[in-house]
Every structure is written in structure tokens, then in C-alpha cells.
Amino acid sequence: MQIRDASFLMSNTRVDQCPPPTLPEYAFIGRSNVGKSSLINMLMERKGLAKTSSLPGKTQLINHFLVNKEWYLVDLPGYGYAKVSKDSRVKWGRMINFYLRQRENLSCVFVLIDSRHTAQAVDLEFMEMLGTEGIPFVMVFTKADKQSGSRTHQNVTEYMRKMSESWDEVPRHFVTSAEEKTGRDEVLAFIEDVNRQMAQTEEIV
């Protein structure tokens, strides 16, 4: 997929204020400081499109971007640890959960996981929720450039083993690096394929 155009559309806290659900939508979410904004900027090849920060919890709203005038990319607040108040974390959690359950054109959730760490309970619990709710998702391992390739492979393999304990079929995964643009073609090809399948389904209907 060639990114011809990617632009910020809007930010809000309510699903009913999101753009009309007429285009496929892909949401990106992960624990705070997982490298979400850097990954989005790398995928879109637009430096500064998603705001990056050294402080966890920077993203506090549902942020919509329009890509190629064909689909929406959504930057969601992170879950887990962040230097914000408990009330804010509760508010974000409600907002995220309502969005994930109610957004009718949500095609897939990209769950970002730091490849430098072993399986974290907060990630496993979040994906369990997605599975229980029947929300399609894939796993995206970030920051692969921050360690050796063998170490990344070891952590990802162990994560897949852990997932297989609870899942009959382990969700698809991608290994990425915002710095080295690793995984960019694979992630965009996946989105393009889902868009194509959805378009074909609509033609049949």
C-alpha cells in the first residue's frame, strides 16, 4: 500500500462524535510508552502526524486520521501505567471500552506490545477482553531495534507460547521497529487486504 495522503481529522471522547462510520477503521492501542505514536508516524511516513512524548499517557482522546481518503486510523489512549490520576485512568478505560464495543466500522485493533519484555498480564487481559467481545485484533511487537534480533525472536516466541495456553488459534502478529521501518510493508499489506475483503463483501451484499 502506498500512503498518498494522511491527515488528522478530529479528536473526541464520544463514539457518537466520531466521523461517520462509512469507511474501514483500524485502532492502535497499547500500554503507555509502547511506542505507539512513533509507529503510527512510521507507517504513515509523516513525521509528527501522531504526537510523540517521553511522558506516558500523552494520548488522552480518540484521535482519528484519514488515510488515502479510504480508511481511518485511530490513535487510542494507552492502558496500564501512566502518570495520571486514578480518575483519569478510569475515565479513559470507560471511553476506550465503549469505543471498542460500539464502533460499528472498526475493522481491526492493533494491540502494541513492547518486544523487549516477556508477556505482561495487562496485555494478556486486554486481549482476552477483545476475544470475549468478538473484536478482531492482531498483535504488533514494537521496538525490535532496541535489542538483538535473537532476543526479539526469543521474546516473541515465548509470548506466542503463552498465548497458546488460552487461545485455540493464536492471533496474527507483526514485529516492527519505528526507527528501522521494520514491519511497515507487512502491516500496510494486511490493512490493504482487509479493506479489499470488506469491499468484496459489500459488493456481494
Side-chain angles (χ1 to χ4, degrees), residues 95-202:
M95 176 178 66
I96 293 169
N97 288 335
F98 195 75
Y99 164 82
L100 293 172
R101 291 179 171 90
Q102 298 296 323
R103 188 61 171 164
E104 59 189 89
N105 61 322
L106 180 59
S107 301
C108 188
V109 177
F110 288 80
V111 180
L112 276 56
I113 298 166
D114 192 329
S115 67
R116 298 173 297 177
H117 306 307
T118 54
Q120 304 292 303
V122 65
D123 293 324
L124 296 172
E125 291 169 1
F126 181 77
M127 289 186 286
E128 186 71 25
M129 180 276 291
L130 292 176
T132 300
E133 295 292 331
I135 301 170
F137 73 93
V138 296
M139 305 161 67
V140 180
F141 291 91
T142 64
K143 303 185 179 184
D145 61 291
K146 304 301 182 183
Q147 60 190 351
S148 67
S150 60
R151 182 64 177 176
T152 296
H153 177 73
Q154 178 182 342
N155 285 348
V156 171
T157 300
E158 175 61 21
Y159 215 111
M160 294 299 102
R161 186 198 63 77
K162 183 68 175 178
M163 289 287 289
S164 66
E165 295 177 0
S166 303
W167 294 77
D168 292 332
E169 183 178 350
V170 177
R172 185 168 179 177
H173 73 276
F174 302 91
V175 176
T176 68
S177 163
E179 291 293 328
E180 300 178 353
K181 297 189 176 181
T182 304
R184 181 176 186 271
D185 291 343
E186 290 80 2
V187 170
L188 292 180
F190 171 78
I191 294 174
E192 186 172 39
D193 186 53
V194 174
N195 285 345
R196 185 183 302 112
Q197 292 179 27
M198 294 183 64
Q200 291 173 349
T201 301
E202 291 176 357

Side-chain angles (χ1 to χ4, degrees), residues 6-11 49 62-66:
S7 58
F8 172 75
L9 198 59
M10 65 172 62
S11 296
L49 183 67
I62 301 171
N63 299 301
H64 273 79
F65 300 88
L66 179 61

Side-chain angles (χ1 to χ4, degrees), residues 12-58:
N12 60 75
T13 60
R14 294 175 48 173
V15 176
D16 59 1
Q17 294 177 346
C18 289
T22 55
L23 298 175
E25 189 157 298
Y26 300 86
F28 287 69
I29 191 171
R31 284 185 296 123
S32 298
N33 207 29
V34 75
K36 177 166 50 70
S37 296
S38 295
L39 179 69
I40 290 173
N41 291 337
M42 181 271 283
L43 292 174
M44 297 296 99
E45 291 189 324
R46 302 292 193 277
K47 184 177 181 180
L49 183 67
K51 303 303 182 183
T52 59
S53 173
S54 59
L55 297 176
K58 178 67 174 179

